[in-house]
Amino acid sequence: MIEGVNLIKFPKQTKYSSSHRLREMVLVLRKHNVLTSDMTPEKLRLILEDLGPTFVKLGQILSLKPGFLPADYAIELTKLQTQAKPLDFSIIKDCLEKEYNKKIEDVFLDIDDHALGSASIAQVHKATLKTGEKIVIKVQRPGIYEVMAKDIVLLKRAVSILQVFKTSSSILDFNAILDEMWNITKQEMDFMMEAEHIDEFKRLNSEDIFVDCPTVKHELTTARVLVMEYIDGHRIDEINKLKAQGYNVEELGIHLGKNYVKQIIEDGYFHADPHPGNIWIKNGKIIWLDLGMMGRLSSKERDALKKAVYALVQHDTYEMKNAILTLGTVQGKLNHIQLYEDIDNLMNRYSNANFQTLKLSELAHDIITVARRHKLSINPGLSMFARGVVTIESVLKICCPNVNFIDIFASYMRADFKRNFSWKEEFTKFKRDSYLMLQKSMHIPEQLSDILKMTMSGQTKVNLDLTGSEEPLRRLDKMINKLIIGIICSALLLGSSIICTTNMTPQIMEIPILGVLGYLVAVFLSIRLMINIFKEK
C-alpha cells in the first residue's frame, strides 16, 4: 500500500481542482519555511508526509534510485510513515453502499466501526459475514485517485517548466520516475488486481506448509473494496507474544528467509514491501499480508542476478559485465571500455567477498548505480528487489539476530546450482558448441578471400569508433558555434552602424528603425553568448 501521513484532507466529492491542490501544497511549504531555512533530510521527509500520498510514494521511489539523492537523504526517506488519520465510519459506510448498491446490513452481519488500520490509500475494518465468518474489508478512500492524478499533472508541469533535478538528468529521467510511480500506484488502487496477486501468490506457495496468505472473497471484492479472511495471529516482531505461545522465533526466521529467497529466485514473484506489519504468524504459519505491490523478475533477470553473484565471488569482471548488460536496457551509445573499468572498480570493492560476508542489498544497489551511470534503464522489479532485500534483512535482524539472510541465500544458490547442474547436459552443450565452432571455422578461409578481393577492388570500408573522441569533438562544435555567433554579432553591429548614417525610412527619433533592430539583436545575442560562457566556467 502507499505509505504516508496525510495532513491534507481527502475530498468527499470527485471534483478536485488543480488550483485548490496547489494552494494546499503552498501552505505545506510555507509551514516548513522552505524559503527561509535550510533543507535537511528530516525536513524533506516531513514535507513529503504533509504533502500527501503522491509525494510519500515519490520519496520512497527516489530513495531506491542510487545516485539520485545524497545517501543521508535516501536513508531518511526510507522512514516515511505508514499511518494516516482514520476516516469517519459514515464515509466508509457510504463507500460500501455505493459499491454494492445496497445497504451494508444486507451484505454483512456486522462491521466494526473502529479501523484496524488506516493508510493514505485505504482503510481496513473487521466485519462478519452472514455465515458468521470473520473477514476484513479494505476500503479505498474516496477521492484519492483524483488527488493523486492532480499531483502527477502538477509535478509533470513543474518538471517541464522548472526542470526539477536538472543536475541528475544525465543519470535519471524524472518524467520516467513519475510514470513508474503512477503505474505502480494505479495498480495498488485497483483492488481487483490485488486480489489476483493474492491468488497467484497462494498458488505459487501452496506446497510450502509454513507459508500462506489470506483467502479473497471474490464475490464481495470490487475495484475499490477488497474482502479477505480475517487473520488473528501476531506480527512477526511481537517476539514476547510469539515465545509465550511456544514458537521458536529462530525457526520462523529461517522459514521466512527461505521463502523470500524462493519467491525471488524460483518464482520471480515476490512481496515488494516485507516489513513486519505485513508478516504475521498464525497456527505455525507465516501469513503474508498486503500483496498490493508485488515485484516481478523474468527468468532471464533471475539468471543474470545469479550470474552476478557468482561472478562477484569468483572475481570475474567479464561475466559481471554480461550480467549487468542483461539486467539493463541500453538507452544510448555505450562506452564499453568505461563500463568495464567501472565494473572492475566494483569488483575490487568486493575483492574479499564470499557468500558469508556478501551483503546482497549493497550489491544490488552498486549494480544499479553502475547501470544508471551508463544510461542503462533498469526494470522496476530490480529496484523492488533491492528494497525488499534491505527490508527483509532488517526484519530478521530485529526478530532473530542469529539468522543471517545471506547464509540462507547462499545455501539456496548452492542447492540451486546442484539441482540444475547435469554432467550430461554440460557434455551435450560442449559437443554442440564445439560443432558450431568447427562449422564457423570452416568458413574463415572463404571469408578472408572475400575480404582480400573487396580490398583489391577498393570496395572495403572500415568503420572506426575512437573511444574518448566525443568530448573533444563536442568542445570543438561549441567553439565553432560561438565563433559563428560572434561573427553574426559583429556583422549586425557593423551593418546597423552603416544603416544609422543613412536616411533610410521608417525612422524613430531620426534613426532608421532597421539599424535599431540590428543593434538590439546584436546585444541580445552577445548577452546570450556571455551567459553561456560563464555557465561553462
Side-chain angles (χ1 to χ4, degrees):
M1 71 176 57
I2 296 178
E3 303 175 353
V5 174
N6 61 304
L7 296 181
I8 298 167
K9 295 181 180 178
F10 292 96
K12 296 181 183 179
Q13 69 277 16
T14 56
K15 292 183 179 179
Y16 193 66
S17 67
S18 296
S19 59
H20 182 243
R21 181 66 177 126
L22 189 58
R23 282 196 297 271
E24 289 180 339
M25 294 179 185
V26 171
L27 288 174
V28 170
L29 296 176
R30 185 181 299 170
K31 169 191 170 185
H32 290 277
N33 300 319
V34 172
L35 297 178
T36 58
S37 60
D38 295 334
M39 181 64 70
T40 63
E42 183 180 7
K43 186 176 179 180
L44 177 60
R45 175 178 61 81
L46 294 173
I47 289 172
L48 293 177
E49 287 176 353
D50 287 357
L51 284 173
T54 311
F55 291 86
V56 169
K57 191 68 177 177
L58 179 61
Q60 292 175 340
I61 290 180
L62 291 179
S63 69
L64 298 175
K65 302 295 183 183
F68 195 77
L69 291 174
D72 52 345
Y73 282 83
I75 292 170
E76 185 64 29
L77 291 186
T78 61
K79 302 176 184 177
L80 287 164
Q81 296 296 312
T82 59
Q83 298 82 21
K85 184 179 179 182
L87 291 174
D88 189 88
F89 182 70
S90 61
I91 299 175
I92 298 297
K93 182 179 177 182
D94 289 341
C95 292
L96 290 171
E97 291 181 345
K98 285 180 182 177
E99 283 297 307
Y100 294 131
N101 198 25
K102 59 176 69 175
K103 296 289 185 181
I104 58 173
E105 293 82 6
D106 297 333
V107 183
F108 305 105
L109 185 64
D110 64 71
I111 299 180
D112 189 349
D113 56 0
H114 294 289
L116 281 177
S118 182
S120 51
I121 267 195
Q123 190 161 305
V124 179
H125 287 261
K126 184 180 177 182
T128 307
L129 294 177
K130 295 286 187 179
T131 59
E133 183 180 357
K134 299 294 182 182
I135 48 116
V136 292
I137 309 171
K138 185 177 179 181
V139 184
Q140 190 173 122
R141 287 175 175 264
I144 181 64
Y145 188 96
E146 287 79 4
V147 172
M148 298 190 76
K150 295 293 182 185
D151 287 349
I152 294 294
V153 171
L154 291 171
L155 280 170
K156 286 208 167 189
R157 287 176 182 171
V159 170
S160 60
I161 295 172
L162 302 177
Q163 296 182 346
V164 178
F165 299 112
K166 186 177 179 182
T167 55
S168 297
S169 60
S170 61
I171 299 175
L172 209 56
D173 182 358
F174 198 73
N175 271 308
I177 289 182
L178 292 177
D179 291 336
E180 176 186 334
M181 182 192 75
W182 185 230
N183 288 332
I184 292 173
T185 303
K186 283 191 294 185
Q187 290 180 24
E188 291 184 71
M189 287 191 285
D190 185 354
F191 291 168
M192 294 294 288
M193 186 171 289
E194 182 172 348
E196 292 176 4
H197 289 169
I198 295 171
D199 290 343
E200 185 172 358
F201 185 89
K202 185 178 282 288
R203 178 181 61 80
L204 290 171
N205 293 276
S206 59
E207 296 182 2
D208 192 331
I209 61 173
F210 299 107
V211 175
D212 203 353
C213 64
T215 302
V216 178
K217 304 297 178 182
H218 288 281
E219 66 278 8
L220 295 174
T221 295
T222 70
R224 295 182 180 87
V225 177
L226 178 62
V227 180
M228 301 172 288
E229 69 170 304
Y230 174 67
I231 303 299
D232 58 353
H234 297 289
R235 286 167 49 127
I236 195 162
D237 59 347
E238 295 178 331
I239 309 299
N240 293 332
K241 291 181 180 179
L242 291 173
K243 287 182 176 179
Q245 290 191 352
Y247 285 107
N248 185 323
V249 180
E250 286 200 4
E251 276 188 15
L252 291 174
I254 292 171
H255 292 316
L256 174 64
K258 285 182 177 179
N259 178 251
Y260 200 69
V261 173
K262 181 251 184 189
Q263 291 178 37
I264 294 169
I265 300 299
E266 190 173 326
D267 301 337
Y269 186 71
F270 57 94
H271 200 298
D273 192 18
H275 64 76
N278 289 335
I279 306 170
W280 285 56
I281 308 299
K282 178 184 178 182
N283 298 331
K285 287 190 173 185
I286 297 167
I287 311 295
W288 290 90
L289 303 179
D290 192 7
L291 284 85
M293 186 167 60
M294 300 293 293
R296 287 188 184 273
L297 292 171
S298 67
S299 58
K300 183 179 179 182
E301 289 166 335
R302 280 175 275 154
D303 288 341
L305 267 178
K306 288 189 282 188
K307 286 180 181 177
V309 174
Y310 283 126
L312 191 70
V313 174
Q314 296 169 4
H315 204 80
D316 188 340
T317 304
Y318 181 76
E319 192 63 34
M320 177 65 83
K321 178 173 178 280
N322 289 335
I324 291 177
L325 288 174
T326 302
L327 291 169
T329 304
V330 180
Q331 297 297 315
K333 191 173 182 180
L334 188 63
N335 187 332
H336 286 274
I337 295 177
Q338 186 61 51
L339 175 60
Y340 190 92
E341 289 179 359
D342 288 344
I343 293 173
D344 196 46
N345 291 333
L346 183 150
M347 304 290 277
N348 289 332
R349 289 201 299 273
Y350 292 91
S351 57
N352 296 322
N354 53 52
F355 275 131
Q356 282 67 42
T357 60
L358 179 65
K359 290 188 177 179
L360 198 60
S361 55
E362 290 184 7
L363 173 60
H365 184 280
D366 289 342
I367 288 175
I368 295 173
T369 301
V370 171
R372 296 289 186 196
R373 189 179 302 143
H374 290 271
K375 296 183 180 179
L376 295 169
S377 65
I378 297 295
N379 180 354
L382 192 60
S383 297
M384 290 182 178
F385 161 77
R387 177 188 179 184
V389 169
V390 170
T391 308
I392 206 74
E393 284 180 340
S394 64
V395 169
L396 292 175
K397 190 175 293 184
I398 293 170
C399 303
C400 34
N402 295 328
V403 176
N404 189 339
F405 179 73
I406 196 60
D407 285 342
I408 297 173
F409 187 87
S411 62
Y412 195 97
M413 290 277 285
R414 283 191 289 266
D416 180 74
F417 178 78
K418 292 178 182 177
R419 184 168 56 248
N420 295 321
F421 183 83
S422 167
W423 281 109
K424 185 177 180 181
E425 289 182 5
E426 289 295 316
F427 184 66
T428 302
K429 183 176 179 294
F430 173 76
K431 288 193 297 183
R432 184 174 62 251
D433 292 344
S434 299
Y435 172 74
L436 290 173
M437 184 175 66
L438 180 62
Q439 189 180 42
K440 289 180 180 180
S441 65
M442 292 175 65
H443 294 287
I444 292 176
E446 181 184 350
Q447 291 169 351
L448 286 172
S449 176
D450 290 341
I451 291 173
L452 288 172
K453 288 178 182 178
M454 291 174 67
T455 303
M456 292 175 68
S457 62
Q459 296 178 359
T460 306
K461 292 183 180 180
V462 179
N463 293 324
L464 293 177
D465 185 7
L466 300 177
T467 304
S469 64
E470 297 87 355
E471 185 60 27
L473 290 174
R474 194 179 297 113
R475 290 183 180 179
L476 181 61
D477 186 53
K478 287 182 178 179
M479 290 171 59
I480 292 173
N481 289 339
K482 291 173 187 175
L483 180 61
I484 291 171
I485 292 174
I487 292 172
I488 292 173
C489 289
S490 301
L492 283 170
L493 289 172
L494 183 60
S496 299
S497 299
I498 293 172
I499 290 172
C500 288
T501 61
T502 67
N503 293 322
M504 184 181 294
T505 58
Q507 296 183 350
I508 179 172
M509 298 178 66
E510 299 182 355
I511 301 174
I513 290 179
L514 195 58
V516 174
L517 290 175
Y519 278 128
L520 291 175
V521 173
V523 170
F524 174 75
L525 290 175
S526 300
I527 292 173
R528 287 294 301 272
L529 182 60
M530 294 301 295
I531 290 173
N532 289 335
I533 291 172
F534 281 121
K535 277 186 177 179
E536 291 176 5
K537 289 182 178 180

